[in-house]
Amino acid sequence: MVARRGGAHGGAAATVDVLAPGATLAAVPVRGRGDTVRHRIAGSSRARTEVPSEVIDRAIDQGFTTSLELIAASVVGTDEQKLTVVRQLATEMLDSVTAAISLAYTDHLETEVVDDQRTRNALAIALLSGQDTSTVTRCSGFEVAESYSVLAVHFPSHGDDESDTFVTQLEVRRMIRNVRAALDADGSVRALSRLDARGGVVLIPSAEARDLDTVLAELSVAAGVDMTATYAEAPPAKIPETVDQLCELLDLARRMRRPPGLFRFADLAVEYQLTRPSPARRHLAAILSPLDDHPILLETLCAHFDNNLNRRRTAQQLGVHMNTIDYRLKSIRKLTGFDPLSADGLWCLQSALVVRQANYPEK
């Protein structure tokens, strides 16, 4: 005959099966699938009521010790038979109770993480599309910040230069998960994000944001890629139009092959204005047309600007004598009508080069 013994510790009940006096080895019951399910359901209820897992662990340990003592004292038979009974029941109890309750807590925590991410996704979608956020905040208790640091981010591909996709979807999911974990670890408990294989948008409450250059560097480490991002501050109502502008700025930075990092409007304000559709842009684009048949001269002009007009460094980079650089710059003046050694000519040629590098199609 089997007797039931119940115990509680810290609000967590532990129920065990104990052999009644006079029982033999043949009377030891074999637990089935139902016992595991019952323990898992019990664990789920404890998790939902936020009973700490360490309290459950202590309750199981104490109940387990008490059960084994009662079993050892109650079983009739030789010492070897008693030891066999204790071992069998110990194995069953550990399998049924400890594993099931641990799984129940894990399931509960995973559910909380999924629910939290769903709430963040819903709020991010509402903010990015200019929709009303009251329903999401009322149902979730998640508050909208007064202002956000808005980042439009780009993930470079892991493939060849012409590919803009990652190797596997698993890699993409892992990268996005790591970026979100890094945002949470940074202390931005209300940070929001909408990300895919190519990048996306990150919203960090302005009150929680620290040095964003450092934040981007940490996110790049988490993602495993050198990220490029553009940034501006915006209240919730201005987020949609701010994101549109930041995406345009991000596209410009990529077209001009700027190195990875964080760019503000001030960093690319001139380039941004020069590349907006206008008759002036078409005029600037035409300035360098005479160099299309002289790629060496165009290469020299680009290197001249990249080296901050230092002719010596330009000559070293191109592997030629400085006199050759001087000759090429004079040739550029003759072909274009603009002197790269004068302030006015320099400004026009550099502006024309910005338009060409951006390479926006005419509308």
Side-chain angles (χ1 to χ4, degrees), residues 208-257:
E208 299 175 4
R210 55 189 181 89
D211 179 64
L212 292 176
D213 292 278
T214 301
V215 171
L216 183 66
E218 292 172 352
L219 295 182
S220 295
V221 171
V225 294
D226 292 327
M227 296 162 57
T228 302
T230 50
Y231 149 78
E233 294 286 327
K238 296 290 186 180
I239 286 177
E241 62 183 85
T242 300
V243 169
D244 288 342
Q245 294 172 349
L246 289 177
C247 287
E248 289 181 357
L249 198 68
L250 182 61
D251 180 61
L252 176 61
R254 293 185 57 217
R255 285 174 178 269
M256 298 190 66
R257 301 185 181 277

Short mmCIF file of all heavy atoms in Angstrom, two decimals, residues 208-257:
data_model
loop_
_atom_site.label_atom_id
_atom_site.label_comp_id
_atom_site.label_asym_id
_atom_site.label_seq_id
_atom_site.Cartn_x
_atom_site.Cartn_y
_atom_site.Cartn_z
N GLU A 208 17.53 57.75 -21.69
CA GLU A 208 18.32 56.57 -21.38
C GLU A 208 19.57 56.47 -22.25
O GLU A 208 20.44 55.64 -22.01
CB GLU A 208 17.48 55.30 -21.57
CG GLU A 208 16.27 55.22 -20.66
CD GLU A 208 15.41 54.01 -20.98
OE1 GLU A 208 15.80 53.21 -21.85
OE2 GLU A 208 14.34 53.87 -20.36
N ALA A 209 19.64 57.29 -23.30
CA ALA A 209 20.73 57.17 -24.27
C ALA A 209 22.02 57.76 -23.71
O ALA A 209 22.02 58.85 -23.15
CB ALA A 209 20.34 57.86 -25.57
N ARG A 210 23.12 57.04 -23.88
CA ARG A 210 24.43 57.59 -23.54
C ARG A 210 25.17 57.90 -24.84
O ARG A 210 24.52 58.13 -25.86
CB ARG A 210 25.20 56.61 -22.65
CG ARG A 210 25.35 55.21 -23.19
CD ARG A 210 25.94 54.28 -22.13
NE ARG A 210 26.13 52.92 -22.61
CZ ARG A 210 27.21 52.49 -23.21
NH1 ARG A 210 28.24 53.33 -23.42
NH2 ARG A 210 27.33 51.24 -23.63
N ASP A 211 26.48 57.92 -24.81
CA ASP A 211 27.26 58.24 -26.01
C ASP A 211 26.92 57.25 -27.13
O ASP A 211 27.23 56.05 -27.04
CB ASP A 211 28.75 58.18 -25.70
CG ASP A 211 29.59 58.49 -26.93
OD1 ASP A 211 29.51 59.61 -27.43
OD2 ASP A 211 30.30 57.58 -27.39
N LEU A 212 26.29 57.77 -28.19
CA LEU A 212 25.77 56.88 -29.22
C LEU A 212 26.86 56.29 -30.10
O LEU A 212 26.68 55.22 -30.69
CB LEU A 212 24.74 57.62 -30.07
CG LEU A 212 23.44 57.97 -29.33
CD1 LEU A 212 22.52 58.79 -30.22
CD2 LEU A 212 22.74 56.71 -28.87
N ASP A 213 28.00 56.96 -30.23
CA ASP A 213 29.12 56.37 -30.97
C ASP A 213 29.58 55.09 -30.27
O ASP A 213 29.86 54.08 -30.92
CB ASP A 213 30.27 57.37 -31.07
CG ASP A 213 29.93 58.56 -31.95
OD1 ASP A 213 30.04 58.44 -33.18
OD2 ASP A 213 29.51 59.59 -31.40
N THR A 214 29.63 55.14 -28.94
CA THR A 214 30.02 53.96 -28.17
C THR A 214 28.95 52.89 -28.27
O THR A 214 29.25 51.70 -28.42
CB THR A 214 30.25 54.34 -26.69
OG1 THR A 214 31.27 55.33 -26.61
CG2 THR A 214 30.65 53.13 -25.87
N VAL A 215 27.69 53.30 -28.20
CA VAL A 215 26.59 52.34 -28.31
C VAL A 215 26.65 51.61 -29.65
O VAL A 215 26.52 50.38 -29.71
CB VAL A 215 25.22 53.05 -28.15
CG1 VAL A 215 24.07 52.10 -28.50
CG2 VAL A 215 25.06 53.58 -26.73
N LEU A 216 26.88 52.36 -30.75
CA LEU A 216 26.94 51.73 -32.07
C LEU A 216 28.12 50.76 -32.14
O LEU A 216 28.01 49.68 -32.73
CB LEU A 216 27.06 52.79 -33.16
CG LEU A 216 27.06 52.24 -34.59
CD1 LEU A 216 25.70 51.62 -34.92
CD2 LEU A 216 27.40 53.33 -35.60
N ALA A 217 29.23 51.13 -31.56
CA ALA A 217 30.40 50.24 -31.56
C ALA A 217 30.08 48.94 -30.82
O ALA A 217 30.45 47.85 -31.27
CB ALA A 217 31.59 50.94 -30.92
N GLU A 218 29.37 49.05 -29.69
CA GLU A 218 29.00 47.85 -28.93
C GLU A 218 27.98 47.00 -29.69
O GLU A 218 28.05 45.76 -29.66
CB GLU A 218 28.44 48.26 -27.57
CG GLU A 218 29.49 48.89 -26.66
CD GLU A 218 28.89 49.46 -25.39
OE1 GLU A 218 27.64 49.51 -25.28
OE2 GLU A 218 29.66 49.87 -24.49
N LEU A 219 27.06 47.64 -30.37
CA LEU A 219 26.09 46.89 -31.17
C LEU A 219 26.78 46.19 -32.34
O LEU A 219 26.39 45.07 -32.71
CB LEU A 219 24.99 47.82 -31.69
CG LEU A 219 24.09 48.48 -30.65
CD1 LEU A 219 23.02 49.33 -31.34
CD2 LEU A 219 23.43 47.44 -29.76
N SER A 220 27.79 46.82 -32.91
CA SER A 220 28.55 46.20 -33.99
C SER A 220 29.26 44.95 -33.52
O SER A 220 29.30 43.93 -34.22
CB SER A 220 29.56 47.20 -34.58
OG SER A 220 28.91 48.29 -35.20
N VAL A 221 29.82 45.03 -32.31
CA VAL A 221 30.48 43.84 -31.74
C VAL A 221 29.46 42.73 -31.53
O VAL A 221 29.71 41.57 -31.84
CB VAL A 221 31.17 44.21 -30.41
CG1 VAL A 221 31.67 42.96 -29.70
CG2 VAL A 221 32.33 45.17 -30.66
N ALA A 222 28.29 43.09 -31.01
CA ALA A 222 27.24 42.09 -30.76
C ALA A 222 26.76 41.46 -32.06
O ALA A 222 26.51 40.26 -32.12
CB ALA A 222 26.07 42.74 -30.02
N ALA A 223 26.63 42.28 -33.11
CA ALA A 223 26.14 41.78 -34.39
C ALA A 223 27.21 41.02 -35.16
O ALA A 223 26.91 40.21 -36.03
CB ALA A 223 25.62 42.94 -35.24
N GLY A 224 28.48 41.30 -34.86
CA GLY A 224 29.56 40.66 -35.59
C GLY A 224 29.85 41.31 -36.93
O GLY A 224 30.53 40.72 -37.77
N VAL A 225 29.34 42.54 -37.14
CA VAL A 225 29.59 43.28 -38.38
C VAL A 225 29.82 44.75 -38.02
O VAL A 225 29.36 45.22 -36.98
CB VAL A 225 28.40 43.17 -39.37
CG1 VAL A 225 28.23 41.75 -39.86
CG2 VAL A 225 27.11 43.69 -38.74
N ASP A 226 30.54 45.45 -38.89
CA ASP A 226 30.77 46.89 -38.69
C ASP A 226 29.58 47.65 -39.24
O ASP A 226 29.38 47.73 -40.46
CB ASP A 226 32.06 47.33 -39.38
CG ASP A 226 33.30 46.74 -38.72
OD1 ASP A 226 33.26 46.56 -37.49
OD2 ASP A 226 34.28 46.46 -39.44
N MET A 227 28.78 48.20 -38.36
CA MET A 227 27.54 48.84 -38.75
C MET A 227 27.75 50.31 -39.09
O MET A 227 28.61 50.98 -38.51
CB MET A 227 26.51 48.71 -37.62
CG MET A 227 26.10 47.28 -37.33
SD MET A 227 25.31 47.05 -35.69
CE MET A 227 23.96 48.20 -35.81
N THR A 228 26.94 50.78 -40.03
CA THR A 228 26.87 52.20 -40.36
C THR A 228 25.49 52.69 -39.93
O THR A 228 24.49 52.00 -40.12
CB THR A 228 27.05 52.44 -41.86
OG1 THR A 228 28.31 51.89 -42.27
CG2 THR A 228 27.02 53.92 -42.19
N ALA A 229 25.44 53.89 -39.33
CA ALA A 229 24.16 54.40 -38.85
C ALA A 229 24.11 55.91 -38.97
O ALA A 229 25.15 56.58 -38.95
CB ALA A 229 23.93 53.99 -37.39
N THR A 230 22.90 56.42 -39.12
CA THR A 230 22.66 57.86 -39.07
C THR A 230 21.75 58.14 -37.89
O THR A 230 20.95 57.28 -37.49
CB THR A 230 22.03 58.37 -40.37
OG1 THR A 230 20.88 57.56 -40.70
CG2 THR A 230 23.03 58.29 -41.50
N TYR A 231 21.83 59.35 -37.35
CA TYR A 231 21.18 59.60 -36.07
C TYR A 231 20.57 61.00 -36.00
O TYR A 231 21.09 61.96 -36.56
CB TYR A 231 22.20 59.43 -34.94
CG TYR A 231 21.97 60.30 -33.74
CD1 TYR A 231 20.98 59.99 -32.80
CD2 TYR A 231 22.72 61.46 -33.55
CE1 TYR A 231 20.75 60.80 -31.71
CE2 TYR A 231 22.50 62.28 -32.46
CZ TYR A 231 21.51 61.95 -31.54
OH TYR A 231 21.28 62.76 -30.47
N ALA A 232 19.43 61.09 -35.31
CA ALA A 232 18.81 62.38 -34.99
C ALA A 232 17.87 62.16 -33.81
O ALA A 232 17.45 61.04 -33.52
CB ALA A 232 18.04 62.93 -36.19
N GLU A 233 17.56 63.25 -33.11
CA GLU A 233 16.59 63.21 -32.02
C GLU A 233 15.21 63.57 -32.56
O GLU A 233 15.09 64.41 -33.45
CB GLU A 233 16.99 64.21 -30.92
CG GLU A 233 18.28 63.88 -30.19
CD GLU A 233 18.12 62.71 -29.24
OE1 GLU A 233 17.01 62.56 -28.67
OE2 GLU A 233 19.08 61.95 -29.08
N ALA A 234 14.17 62.95 -32.00
CA ALA A 234 12.82 63.23 -32.47
C ALA A 234 11.79 62.87 -31.41
O ALA A 234 11.93 61.85 -30.74
CB ALA A 234 12.52 62.46 -33.75
N PRO A 235 10.73 63.70 -31.25
CA PRO A 235 9.61 63.31 -30.40
C PRO A 235 8.80 62.24 -31.12
O PRO A 235 8.95 62.06 -32.35
CB PRO A 235 8.82 64.61 -30.25
CG PRO A 235 9.13 65.37 -31.50
CD PRO A 235 10.55 65.03 -31.85
N PRO A 236 7.94 61.51 -30.43
CA PRO A 236 7.18 60.42 -31.07
C PRO A 236 6.46 60.84 -32.35
O PRO A 236 6.48 60.11 -33.34
CB PRO A 236 6.20 59.99 -29.97
CG PRO A 236 6.92 60.30 -28.70
CD PRO A 236 7.69 61.56 -28.97
N ALA A 237 5.84 62.02 -32.35
CA ALA A 237 5.05 62.45 -33.52
C ALA A 237 5.92 62.70 -34.75
O ALA A 237 5.43 62.63 -35.88
CB ALA A 237 4.27 63.71 -33.18
N LYS A 238 7.21 62.98 -34.55
CA LYS A 238 8.10 63.29 -35.67
C LYS A 238 8.94 62.10 -36.13
O LYS A 238 9.76 62.22 -37.04
CB LYS A 238 9.05 64.44 -35.26
CG LYS A 238 8.36 65.75 -34.96
CD LYS A 238 7.81 66.39 -36.22
CE LYS A 238 7.25 67.78 -35.95
NZ LYS A 238 6.71 68.40 -37.18
N ILE A 239 8.75 60.95 -35.51
CA ILE A 239 9.59 59.79 -35.82
C ILE A 239 9.47 59.35 -37.28
O ILE A 239 10.49 59.11 -37.94
CB ILE A 239 9.31 58.63 -34.85
CG1 ILE A 239 9.91 58.95 -33.47
CG2 ILE A 239 9.88 57.31 -35.37
CD1 ILE A 239 9.64 57.91 -32.41
N PRO A 240 8.27 59.23 -37.86
CA PRO A 240 8.18 58.76 -39.26
C PRO A 240 8.98 59.62 -40.24
O PRO A 240 9.76 59.08 -41.05
CB PRO A 240 6.68 58.81 -39.55
CG PRO A 240 6.03 58.64 -38.22
CD PRO A 240 6.92 59.38 -37.26
N GLU A 241 8.82 60.95 -40.18
CA GLU A 241 9.54 61.80 -41.12
C GLU A 241 11.03 61.82 -40.82
O GLU A 241 11.86 61.92 -41.73
CB GLU A 241 8.97 63.22 -41.12
CG GLU A 241 9.09 63.96 -39.80
CD GLU A 241 8.44 65.33 -39.86
OE1 GLU A 241 7.22 65.41 -39.66
OE2 GLU A 241 9.16 66.31 -40.14
N THR A 242 11.40 61.72 -39.54
CA THR A 242 12.82 61.67 -39.18
C THR A 242 13.47 60.42 -39.73
O THR A 242 14.60 60.46 -40.25
CB THR A 242 12.99 61.71 -37.65
OG1 THR A 242 12.41 62.92 -37.13
CG2 THR A 242 14.45 61.65 -37.25
N VAL A 243 12.77 59.29 -39.64
CA VAL A 243 13.31 58.03 -40.18
C VAL A 243 13.51 58.14 -41.69
O VAL A 243 14.52 57.67 -42.22
CB VAL A 243 12.38 56.86 -39.83
CG1 VAL A 243 12.78 55.59 -40.60
CG2 VAL A 243 12.42 56.57 -38.33
N ASP A 244 12.56 58.74 -42.40
CA ASP A 244 12.70 58.92 -43.85
C ASP A 244 13.97 59.71 -44.18
O ASP A 244 14.74 59.34 -45.08
CB ASP A 244 11.48 59.63 -44.42
CG ASP A 244 10.24 58.75 -44.44
OD1 ASP A 244 10.39 57.52 -44.33
OD2 ASP A 244 9.13 59.30 -44.54
N GLN A 245 14.20 60.79 -43.45
CA GLN A 245 15.39 61.61 -43.69
C GLN A 245 16.67 60.85 -43.35
O GLN A 245 17.67 60.93 -44.08
CB GLN A 245 15.29 62.90 -42.88
CG GLN A 245 14.17 63.83 -43.32
CD GLN A 245 13.98 65.00 -42.38
OE1 GLN A 245 14.54 65.04 -41.28
NE2 GLN A 245 13.18 65.98 -42.80
N LEU A 246 16.64 60.13 -42.24
CA LEU A 246 17.82 59.37 -41.83
C LEU A 246 18.15 58.26 -42.82
O LEU A 246 19.32 57.98 -43.08
CB LEU A 246 17.61 58.78 -40.43
CG LEU A 246 17.62 59.78 -39.28
CD1 LEU A 246 17.32 59.08 -37.96
CD2 LEU A 246 18.97 60.50 -39.18
N CYS A 247 17.13 57.63 -43.38
CA CYS A 247 17.37 56.58 -44.38
C CYS A 247 17.99 57.18 -45.64
O CYS A 247 18.86 56.56 -46.27
CB CYS A 247 16.06 55.86 -44.70
SG CYS A 247 15.49 54.77 -43.37
N GLU A 248 17.56 58.37 -46.03
CA GLU A 248 18.17 59.04 -47.18
C GLU A 248 19.64 59.37 -46.88
O GLU A 248 20.51 59.20 -47.74
CB GLU A 248 17.41 60.33 -47.51
CG GLU A 248 16.03 60.11 -48.11
CD GLU A 248 15.35 61.41 -48.45
OE1 GLU A 248 15.94 62.49 -48.16
OE2 GLU A 248 14.24 61.37 -49.00
N LEU A 249 19.88 59.83 -45.67
CA LEU A 249 21.25 60.17 -45.28
C LEU A 249 22.12 58.91 -45.22
O LEU A 249 23.29 58.92 -45.63
CB LEU A 249 21.24 60.87 -43.92
CG LEU A 249 22.49 61.67 -43.54
CD1 LEU A 249 22.62 62.89 -44.45
CD2 LEU A 249 22.41 62.12 -42.08
N LEU A 250 21.55 57.82 -44.74
CA LEU A 250 22.28 56.56 -44.68
C LEU A 250 22.61 56.05 -46.08
O LEU A 250 23.73 55.58 -46.34
CB LEU A 250 21.43 55.52 -43.92
CG LEU A 250 22.06 54.14 -43.71
CD1 LEU A 250 23.34 54.26 -42.89
CD2 LEU A 250 21.07 53.21 -43.02
N ASP A 251 21.66 56.17 -46.98
CA ASP A 251 21.90 55.77 -48.37
C ASP A 251 23.02 56.62 -48.99
O ASP A 251 23.87 56.10 -49.72
CB ASP A 251 20.62 55.92 -49.17
CG ASP A 251 20.80 55.51 -50.62
OD1 ASP A 251 21.13 54.33 -50.88
OD2 ASP A 251 20.64 56.37 -51.51
N LEU A 252 23.02 57.91 -48.68
CA LEU A 252 24.08 58.79 -49.19
C LEU A 252 25.44 58.38 -48.66
O LEU A 252 26.43 58.32 -49.41
CB LEU A 252 23.77 60.24 -48.80
CG LEU A 252 24.82 61.28 -49.17
CD1 LEU A 252 25.02 61.32 -50.69
CD2 LEU A 252 24.41 62.66 -48.65
N ALA A 253 25.53 58.09 -47.36
CA ALA A 253 26.80 57.68 -46.76
C ALA A 253 27.33 56.40 -47.42
O ALA A 253 28.53 56.26 -47.68
CB ALA A 253 26.62 57.46 -45.26
N ARG A 254 26.44 55.48 -47.73
CA ARG A 254 26.85 54.23 -48.38
C ARG A 254 27.28 54.48 -49.82
O ARG A 254 28.27 53.91 -50.29
CB ARG A 254 25.71 53.22 -48.33
CG ARG A 254 25.36 52.72 -46.93
CD ARG A 254 24.30 51.64 -47.02
NE ARG A 254 24.76 50.56 -47.86
CZ ARG A 254 23.97 49.86 -48.69
NH1 ARG A 254 22.69 50.17 -48.79
NH2 ARG A 254 24.46 48.89 -49.41
N ARG A 255 26.52 55.31 -50.53
CA ARG A 255 26.87 55.61 -51.93
C ARG A 255 28.25 56.28 -52.01
O ARG A 255 28.99 56.05 -52.98
CB ARG A 255 25.82 56.53 -52.55
CG ARG A 255 24.51 55.83 -52.90
CD ARG A 255 23.48 56.83 -53.37
NE ARG A 255 22.23 56.21 -53.76
CZ ARG A 255 21.95 55.80 -55.01
NH1 ARG A 255 22.84 55.98 -55.97
NH2 ARG A 255 20.80 55.23 -55.30
N MET A 256 28.58 57.09 -51.02
CA MET A 256 29.87 57.79 -51.02
C MET A 256 30.97 56.96 -50.36
O MET A 256 32.08 57.45 -50.13
CB MET A 256 29.71 59.13 -50.32
CG MET A 256 28.72 60.05 -51.00
SD MET A 256 28.75 61.74 -50.36
CE MET A 256 30.40 62.23 -50.89
N ARG A 257 30.62 55.71 -50.04
CA ARG A 257 31.58 54.77 -49.48
C ARG A 257 32.25 55.29 -48.21
O ARG A 257 33.47 55.13 -48.02
CB ARG A 257 32.63 54.37 -50.53
CG ARG A 257 32.02 53.72 -51.77
CD ARG A 257 33.09 53.25 -52.73
NE ARG A 257 32.50 52.64 -53.92
CZ ARG A 257 32.08 51.38 -54.00
NH1 ARG A 257 32.19 50.60 -52.93
NH2 ARG A 257 31.57 50.91 -55.12
#
